[in-house]
């Protein structure tokens, strides 16, 4: 079972988590007999669970995240590879394979009845449709340039999709709160300039060492100023220091557990409902700290690789209720805007840009993968071509403090429900 990242919260040998407060919506429900892993998720996913479980037992599919800092010629480094999504801001590549001409476009949502969401559905480009992917293909190790910088980093495409939601600009100051092993940090660095800054945090010494090594192998510090820190993210206090914050929180990592067990049923020593409850309490604390350290007008992305609603929407709902800051949820379907394109100006003639003029309607942005949830999107391997699982929610901080009316309302609800604030 993987150890949680970015925090001192660690698991015992029994497979359960060390003591953590279970406040608010994460109060423990006493049961005569604890539910097993499969009982718990069958109750959540119903008839879909056997298919979803089988997809999680299969080996995760990796893509190659192109590293713009490498001096190896682009054509040489990407030989035999093709872009996963040509419209994506993140340059991720997979092994090339000729797509079938009779492919049916695959919609990116699954099982949603929301009429507004149906209108926002987008088709996955042919490059990411299921039949055009190598099911068990292995991408070669990346070439390395004369300065020791690798040409690409192998990761799950769902991870790069999450980074894209941050909308990192060249001059942003970014915090990756739970950064090890570093794939998302490397993806973030692709958008930054020497005038930006990247802070990558990991509390465990061994994981922080691995994080630092991966950054050194992919991101020259003279191109993007980056640093690693080894702090307990639960006690992070640096108010409004960052314009972008990523919280890729420690979670149950169900796919990893199934991989370790070879698909066999998990015992209560390997997974327990109590662990999920305790992790959710930890995750909520991390998200609250992230909201506090983000500047007004900045963006926070919360993500996990868990399939538990308690660790995903449940955490976001609790954090929104408890935070003293004013925060709004950004609908993921519209969170990625068209990049501004500077067109040549003709004297005496006004030229519209795709972002503001008539051409905006024909700009094709990156495909939005996964299915809608209450606060974000969930990418599951049974419907996302083996990628995931990955949940993400996009938040924007609109004020340092909630309005008086909303604060009073929250306090009254806390008293009614017996909540204890941090």
């Amino acid at each position: 079972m993987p150890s949680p990242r970015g925090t001192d919260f660690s698991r015992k040998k029994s497979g359960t988590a060390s003591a953590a407060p279970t406040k608010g919506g994460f109060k423990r429900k006493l049961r005569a007999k604890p539910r097993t892993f499969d009982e718990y998720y069958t109750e959540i996913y119903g008839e879909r669970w056997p298919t979803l479980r089988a997809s999680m037992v299969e080996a995760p599919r990796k893509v190659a995240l192109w590293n713009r800092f490498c001096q190896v010629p682009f054509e040489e480094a990407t030989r035999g590879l093709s872009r996963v999504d040509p419209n994506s801001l993140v340059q991720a590549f997979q092994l090339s394979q000729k797509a079938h001409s009779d492919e049916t476009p695959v919609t990116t949502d699954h099982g949603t009845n929301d009429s507004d969401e149906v209108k926002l559905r987008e088709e996955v480009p042919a490059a990411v449709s299921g039949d055009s992917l190598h099911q068990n293909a292995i991408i070669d190790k990346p070439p390395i340039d004369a300065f020791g910088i690798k040409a690409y980093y192998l990761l799950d495409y769902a991870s790069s999709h999450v980074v894209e939601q941050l909308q990192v600009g060249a001059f942003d100051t970014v915090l990756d709160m739970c950064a090890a092993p570093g794939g998302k940090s490397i993806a973030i660095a692709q958008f930054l300039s020497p005038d930006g800054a990247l802070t990558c945090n990991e509390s465990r010494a061994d994981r922080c060492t691995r994080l630092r090594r991966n950054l050194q192998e992919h991101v020259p510090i003279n191109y993007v100023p980056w640093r690693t820190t080894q702090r307990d993210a639960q006690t992070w206090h640096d108010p409004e220091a960052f314009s972008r914050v990523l919280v890729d929180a420690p979670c149950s990592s169900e796919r990893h557990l199934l991989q370790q067990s070879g698909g066999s049923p998990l015992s209560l020593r390997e997974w327990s409902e109590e662990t999920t409850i305790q992790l959710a309490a930890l995750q909520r604390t991390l998200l609250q700290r992230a909201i506090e350290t983000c500047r007004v007008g900045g963006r926070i992305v919360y993500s996990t690789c868990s399939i538990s609603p308690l660790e995903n929407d449940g955490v976001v709902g609790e954090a929104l209720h408890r935070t003293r800051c004013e925060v709004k949820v950004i609908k993921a379907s519209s969170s990625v805007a068209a990049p501004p394109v500077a067109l040549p100006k003709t004297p005496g003639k006004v030229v519209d840009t795709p972002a503001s003029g008539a051409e905006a309607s024909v700009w094709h942005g990156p495909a939005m993968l996964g299915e809608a949830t209450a606060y974000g999107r969930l990418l599951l391997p049974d419907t996302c071509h083996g990628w995931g699982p990955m949940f993400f929610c996009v938040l924007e901080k609109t004020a340092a403090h909630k309005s008086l009316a909303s604060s009073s309302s929250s306090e009254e609800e806390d008293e009614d429900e017996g909540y204890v604030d941090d």
Side-chain angles (χ1 to χ4, degrees):
M1 183 175 293
S3 299
R5 299 161 294 157
T7 172
D8 289 333
F9 186 82
S10 59
R11 296 179 184 274
K12 299 177 182 178
K13 292 183 180 179
S14 63
T16 60
S18 56
T22 56
K23 304 175 186 176
F26 307 128
K27 292 179 180 178
R28 181 180 180 182
K29 295 181 180 179
L30 298 177
R31 291 179 177 271
K33 181 181 178 181
R35 286 181 290 184
T36 65
F37 177 81
D38 287 296
E39 289 172 344
Y40 182 80
Y41 285 111
T42 296
E43 185 173 318
I44 294 172
Y45 290 97
E47 296 180 355
R48 182 183 181 182
W49 175 239
T51 303
L52 175 57
R53 190 187 196 281
S55 68
M56 293 170 65
V57 172
E58 295 178 0
R61 176 179 288 141
K62 302 290 186 180
V63 298
L65 174 70
W66 166 250
N67 181 22
R68 70 181 180 90
F69 306 113
C70 182
Q71 301 300 313
V72 175
F74 179 82
E75 294 76 12
E76 177 184 337
T78 59
R79 186 177 295 117
L81 303 176
S82 60
R83 283 285 293 274
V84 175
D85 182 356
N87 295 313
S88 174
L89 301 178
V90 175
Q91 295 194 57
F93 291 80
Q94 62 188 358
L95 286 175
S96 299
Q97 181 175 350
K98 187 177 181 181
H100 297 290
S101 59
D102 59 348
E103 281 183 331
T104 302
V106 181
T107 56
T108 59
D109 282 294
H110 178 87
T112 177
N113 295 320
D114 190 331
S115 58
D116 292 334
E117 182 63 31
V118 171
K119 294 178 182 178
L120 292 171
R121 286 182 181 178
E122 299 176 18
E123 292 182 351
V124 178
V128 298
S129 58
D131 290 340
S132 66
L133 293 171
H134 283 261
Q135 182 66 30
N136 299 309
I138 298 177
I139 300 176
D140 292 334
K141 291 183 179 180
I144 303 175
D145 68 14
F147 302 97
I149 302 300
K150 295 183 177 180
Y152 50 76
Y153 182 90
L154 298 179
L155 78 173
D156 190 314
Y157 184 63
S159 296
S160 64
H161 196 65
V162 166
V163 170
E164 198 162 9
Q165 312 310 312
L166 272 175
Q167 290 191 355
V168 176
F171 308 111
D172 277 322
T173 53
V174 186
L175 169 64
D176 189 350
M177 186 172 273
C178 310
K184 292 184 180 69
S185 294
I186 293 169
I188 290 170
Q190 305 304 310
F191 298 98
L192 292 171
S193 71
D195 294 313
L198 174 61
T199 298
C200 308
N201 183 65
E202 173 55 52
S203 66
R204 275 183 45 183
D206 56 336
R207 291 178 62 85
C208 191
T209 298
R210 182 184 177 192
L211 167 65
R212 189 179 299 109
R213 182 175 65 250
N214 281 331
L215 287 169
Q216 290 170 341
E217 292 175 347
H218 294 84
V219 186
I221 201 164
N222 57 316
Y223 281 33
V224 173
W226 60 264
R227 63 172 181 145
T228 58
T229 57
Q230 196 175 327
R231 296 169 58 179
D232 180 0
Q234 295 181 86
T235 60
W236 194 284
H237 182 72
D238 203 357
E240 302 194 28
F242 300 93
S243 57
R244 296 288 187 271
V245 183
L246 173 63
V247 190
D248 185 34
C251 64
S252 292
S253 303
E254 295 90 351
R255 185 169 192 173
H256 182 79
L257 296 181
L258 287 172
Q259 292 282 312
Q260 283 190 324
S261 71
S264 301
L266 299 177
S267 68
L268 292 176
R269 291 175 59 86
E270 297 171 298
W271 178 94
S272 71
E273 190 173 349
E274 178 67 16
T275 300
T276 299
I277 294 171
Q278 293 175 341
L279 280 169
L282 164 68
Q283 293 157 348
R284 188 261 300 164
T285 300
L286 296 178
L287 181 52
Q288 284 186 253
R289 299 293 87 81
I291 292 171
E292 292 164 4
T293 197
C294 186
R295 296 171 188 162
V296 173
R299 177 167 289 210
I300 306 105
V301 172
Y302 170 76
S303 67
T304 76
C305 56
S306 174
I307 60 174
S308 170
L310 187 64
E311 298 183 41
N312 297 333
D313 281 327
V315 167
V316 177
E318 278 287 297
L320 292 176
H321 172 77
R322 290 168 173 271
T323 182
R324 297 179 176 87
C325 306
E326 194 73 48
V327 182
K328 69 177 181 180
V329 178
I330 303 296
K331 285 291 184 180
S333 296
S334 58
S335 64
V336 181
V341 178
L343 298 179
K345 295 183 179 180
T346 304
K349 182 180 179 180
V350 177
V351 180
D352 291 327
T353 66
S356 61
E359 294 182 44
S361 61
V362 300
W363 182 83
H364 299 289
M368 185 56 62
L369 300 177
E371 51 209 70
T373 68
Y375 294 108
R377 295 188 80 86
L378 180 62
L379 285 69
L380 295 173
D382 63 332
T383 55
C384 288
H385 325 300
W387 296 317
M390 185 69 67
F391 168 83
F392 67 85
C393 171
V394 184
L395 304 173
E396 181 180 320
K397 185 172 179 178
T398 57
H401 301 283
K402 287 181 178 177
S403 62
L404 184 60
S406 60
S407 297
S408 300
S409 175
S410 296
E411 289 174 2
E412 290 174 2
E413 291 178 14
D414 283 348
E415 292 176 0
D416 292 341
E417 300 179 26
Y419 290 167
V420 179
D421 206 349
D422 287 343

